[in-house]
Amino acid sequence: MMRHSLSYFKVCAARKSRVKGFSLVELAVSLAVVGVAGLLVWRLVPAARGVSGGALIVQQLSTVQTAVEGFALTRSRLPCPAVADDGAENCSAGGRGFVPWRALGIDRAIGAMRYGVYRAPASDLAVLSDTLHPTLPPSPIIPLATYNPATTLNGLDLCLNLRRAAATPAGLTAGGVPVAYVVAHPGANGRFEGLNTVGFDLPGRAAADTYDDQMVATGLSELSAHLSCPKRLGEVHAAVRSAMAAYDLDRDTQMFLDFRNFAYVVRQTDTRFAQANVGQAALDLAIAVGASASAISIAANSAGVGAGLIVGAVLGVTAATAAQVSAALQLVSAQAAEEKARQQSVGALTLRTQSTLDLASAVRAAYVQDQKGLLP
């Protein structure tokens, strides 16, 4: 009995020792898992903060880009940079400075970004200049004195400046590439690095230990496409060509009208000549009839002498009658020709009136295209 009790206690002690050993292992594993999880969290939290900060920078850069191009649409030029982070434009300070957040109407927190705009003597994108001079024909309905397209300043002038700058770039560059404007953010460390310390780096440069700046830039041709410059300039040039074509057609219809009026005057003159011929033929007939009467009288008072006179007088009357009939027919023909010429003159006048209205409409359409610039 005593041996059985000792055996029982040994078994229980062995079980207790096994239970205690399992709990320590489990605790050790748990501590290891918690440690690894803590290490991962310690590593991921700064990374998450960096991702969040990067997204904010990208959003701020996008906001500035949208504001700059909206400014160009409404003001027909790009904004000048600010000389400090006060956000005020300063067009006398050159093409490099800070984002003019006050002029753009955006958050002041963006003012620490650097901003550059293309400025060159031949094409200054930050100054509203008169570079587009569409030549429109004069219109009798819309006199040029009421509106001069050659001195109208709007976004079309900016478009032409962009085209000239793209053809011979000599202004702002980002990493050596000509751009219309560029915006640079100092990154998470708050310091401008790389070329951004003296100018502007190329957007998209890979981040490194010594460079975390972020940038956006829009090229000259790219901004032209954003503003729909090719389409708008094409519409203006097409409208101007249509106006010039309408002007040429109007001058042709004026010459045609002059020709028809001249033809009408000629036909009127022909009718007057025909009327005169009818009168002359009537007079000739009267003279022939008188001569015939004289011949008959002479023949009656003389024997065998007046027969020849009578025959001659009769032939004269016959010829005069035929001449009168011919003159009458010529008068009818002349009157018909005069009426036809009159109708042709009226038709030419109608055509001329319509061409004048078409010219006025074409010139007005060209005015509208030039006046609205980049506005819808």
Side-chain angles (χ1 to χ4, degrees):
M1 184 70 181
M2 182 71 101
R3 267 187 291 173
H4 286 295
S5 299
L6 290 174
S7 298
Y8 173 76
F9 285 118
K10 286 180 181 180
V11 171
C12 290
R15 287 180 179 177
K16 284 182 181 181
S17 63
R18 283 199 299 269
V19 171
K20 288 180 182 180
F22 178 77
S23 299
L24 290 175
V25 172
E26 185 179 35
L27 180 60
V29 172
S30 300
L31 290 175
V33 171
V34 171
V36 172
L39 179 62
L40 291 175
V41 170
W42 180 74
R43 292 285 185 95
L44 291 176
V45 166
R49 289 178 179 174
V51 171
S52 177
L56 178 60
I57 293 174
V58 171
Q59 181 181 2
Q60 290 178 337
L61 289 171
S62 177
T63 298
V64 175
Q65 191 171 30
T66 301
V68 168
E69 296 187 9
F71 185 97
L73 280 172
T74 57
R75 303 284 290 276
S76 302
R77 65 177 180 87
L78 291 177
C80 295
V83 296
D85 61 357
D86 60 356
E89 273 191 290
N90 191 326
C91 292
S92 62
R96 297 175 183 175
F98 293 92
V99 172
W101 57 267
R102 192 184 303 276
L104 296 176
I106 55 180
D107 189 9
R108 179 171 186 160
I110 298 177
M113 294 187 192
R114 293 193 64 209
Y115 166 74
V117 59
Y118 186 98
R119 306 193 71 178
S123 301
D124 191 342
L125 303 185
V127 174
L128 184 59
S129 58
D130 181 20
T131 54
L132 183 68
H133 304 102
T135 302
L136 295 177
S139 169
I141 298 178
I142 306 175
L144 284 177
T146 60
Y147 169 69
N148 190 352
T151 58
T152 298
L153 303 178
N154 55 32
L156 297 176
D157 298 288
L158 174 60
C159 287
L160 198 58
N161 273 334
L162 283 168
R163 178 176 292 184
R164 290 178 177 178
T168 56
L172 180 71
T173 62
V177 178
V179 293
Y181 69 90
V182 59
V183 184
H185 191 287
N189 61 15
R191 298 190 310 271
F192 288 106
E193 298 163 326
L195 293 180
N196 292 328
T197 58
V198 293
F200 290 100
D201 221 318
L202 186 66
R205 175 178 171 178
D209 293 338
T210 58
Y211 184 86
D212 70 340
D213 295 2
Q214 295 194 43
M215 306 175 61
V216 291
T218 299
L220 297 164
S221 299
E222 184 182 4
L223 180 59
S224 178
H226 288 177
L227 299 178
S228 301
C229 285
K231 177 176 180 292
R232 296 304 175 84
L233 287 174
E235 289 173 346
V236 169
H237 289 314
V240 171
R241 286 195 297 269
S242 296
M244 295 302 299
Y247 177 66
D248 291 339
L249 180 60
D250 186 62
R251 293 201 304 172
D252 290 341
T253 56
Q254 179 60 55
M255 289 188 291
F256 181 66
L257 176 61
D258 293 340
F259 171 76
R260 286 304 179 190
N261 287 338
F262 175 74
Y264 181 45
V265 171
V266 170
R267 295 307 182 187
Q268 286 178 318
T269 303
D270 291 343
T271 299
R272 293 190 183 95
F273 275 121
Q275 290 173 340
N277 289 336
V278 168
Q280 183 64 42
L283 179 61
D284 292 343
L285 178 60
I287 292 174
V289 170
S292 177
S294 298
I296 292 174
S297 176
I298 292 173
N301 293 325
S302 60
V305 178
L309 294 175
I310 293 174
V311 172
V314 171
L315 291 176
V317 170
T318 302
T321 301
Q324 185 177 24
V325 172
S326 176
L329 292 176
Q330 289 179 352
L331 175 60
V332 172
S333 177
Q335 289 174 335
E338 179 184 350
E339 176 60 21
K340 182 178 179 180
R342 186 191 69 80
Q343 293 177 357
Q344 290 176 336
S345 178
V346 171
L349 178 60
T350 301
L351 182 62
R352 172 77 171 88
T353 302
Q354 184 60 49
S355 70
T356 301
L357 294 176
D358 292 341
L359 171 60
S361 177
V363 171
R364 186 179 294 107
Y367 284 171
V368 170
Q369 289 292 339
D370 183 60
Q371 280 181 311
K372 75 178 185 177
L374 299 180
L375 298 177

